[in-house]
Amino acid sequence: MPQVKELLAKNKQWAASIKEQDPQFFDRLKQQQSPEYLWIGCSDSRVPANQIVDLLPGELFVHRNVANMVVHTDLNCLSVMQYAVDVLKVKHIIVTGHYGCGGVRASIEDQRYGLIDNWLRHIHDVYKKHQKSMQKYTNFDEKCDRLCELNVIEQVMNVVSTSVIQEAWDRGQNLSVHGWIYGIENGLVNDLNMTIRGLKGADAIYDEALANILGND
C-alpha cells in the first residue's frame, strides 16, 4: 500500500503518461464538462464509476455515498441531482448498487456501528417493507444480495419522486432514470429492468422489477 507522499509521485507519473498518449487530453478536459450521465453509486472503493462503464473523465457526473442512497433530506445528493439535471442537462441518471455491499449487510445485522446506523436505517426500512417476501431467503448472503437489488429499485423511486426530476419532466426534458447493480466478483453490471422515463407507468415498472427479484409473493 503506497504512502500518501507516494500518491503525489504516482499522480505525476499518471499525468505524464496521459499527456504522452494524448497530448490534447488535458486541454480538452479543462473545457466545460458536458456529461450525459449522472451516476449515483456507493462509496465502496471497489466500485470506480468511470472505469466500470469505460468512460473518460468529463463523461460521467458522479455522486457517491454509503450504499447508493437517495434520501429526500440529503441536500448534498439533491444538489448534485439539481445541477446535473438543470445545468448540465444530463439525459440519464443511473442508480448503481453492488452485490456484497457492506452498508446493506450492516443494515440487517444485529450490531451497532455508531453514527452510520442512522443512515443505514433507510436501508433497514427497505428490508422491513419487503420482509415477508425476504423470509424465503434463509442464506444470509443471498438475502443481502436481494436486498442490494431491492435497495437500488427503491432508490430509483426516490429519485423519481423528487421535485428536481418531476419538474424536469413537466417541462418536457428528455431524462431517464435507471437501476443497475454491479458484481464485484466478475466486473459485470446487471440491468434491473428499472428504467423510468416519466411518471406515467412508473408504478407498473416498479412492480415488475420487484416481481423479477422476489417473484409474485
Side-chain angles (χ1 to χ4, degrees):
M1 181 68 68
Q3 300 298 315
V4 172
K5 288 185 178 180
E6 292 180 51
L7 297 182
L8 297 174
K10 286 179 176 292
N11 166 252
K12 292 180 180 179
Q13 294 170 6
W14 170 79
S17 174
I18 291 294
K19 198 164 185 178
E20 182 178 354
Q21 297 173 35
D22 183 355
Q24 304 304 316
F25 178 83
F26 292 109
D27 288 332
R28 292 196 307 271
L29 199 61
K30 71 182 180 182
Q31 305 302 317
Q32 184 175 356
Q33 61 176 338
S34 55
E36 293 191 359
Y37 313 94
L38 167 60
W39 175 287
I40 300 177
C42 183
S43 299
D44 194 302
S45 60
R46 301 168 296 175
V47 191
N50 284 73
Q51 289 177 257
I52 287 172
V53 289
D54 195 24
L55 290 179
L56 294 172
E59 296 181 331
L60 191 70
F61 200 57
V62 178
H63 173 77
R64 296 171 69 175
N65 61 50
V66 174
N68 42 272
M69 301 291 290
V70 179
V71 178
H72 292 128
T73 54
D74 180 4
L75 296 182
N76 185 352
C77 182
L78 294 178
S79 296
V80 169
M81 287 175 52
Q82 188 271 329
Y83 185 79
V85 172
D86 294 353
V87 180
L88 297 178
K89 305 296 184 183
V90 299
K91 295 181 174 64
H92 303 274
I93 297 177
I94 308 168
V95 180
T96 307
H98 67 95
Y99 294 115
C101 179
V104 171
R105 294 179 69 91
S107 72
I108 54 175
E109 287 178 337
D110 187 20
Q111 187 173 343
R112 292 186 178 180
Y113 292 91
L115 179 63
I116 197 172
D117 294 338
N118 300 283
W119 181 257
L120 298 179
R121 181 71 202 184
H122 297 289
I123 310 175
H124 189 74
D125 290 344
V126 172
Y127 175 73
K128 295 289 286 186
K129 180 178 181 179
H130 302 285
Q131 189 170 14
K132 182 179 178 181
S133 297
M134 293 287 284
Q135 287 176 349
K136 64 184 177 184
Y137 300 109
T138 56
N139 180 277
F140 186 74
D141 289 338
E142 186 178 10
K143 181 181 292 186
C144 287
D145 283 348
R146 298 292 79 75
L147 185 55
C148 288
E149 295 169 340
L150 289 174
N151 184 48
V152 169
I153 288 174
E154 294 294 344
Q155 301 318 310
V156 168
M157 293 303 289
N158 285 348
V159 171
V160 167
S161 64
T162 63
S163 60
V164 173
I165 305 307
Q166 295 193 12
E167 288 172 5
W169 282 334
D170 285 344
R171 60 178 178 260
Q173 190 166 335
N174 179 19
L175 181 64
S176 302
V177 186
H178 312 266
W180 292 357
I181 192 160
Y182 173 69
I184 292 175
E185 72 285 352
N186 59 19
L188 297 178
V189 172
N190 179 28
D191 185 350
L192 293 175
N193 296 313
M194 185 65 180
T195 294
I196 299 178
R197 298 182 173 87
L199 288 178
K200 185 178 180 180
D203 288 341
I205 295 170
Y206 170 77
D207 290 340
E208 185 175 352
L210 288 182
N212 289 337
I213 293 171
L214 299 173
N216 296 310
D217 295 343

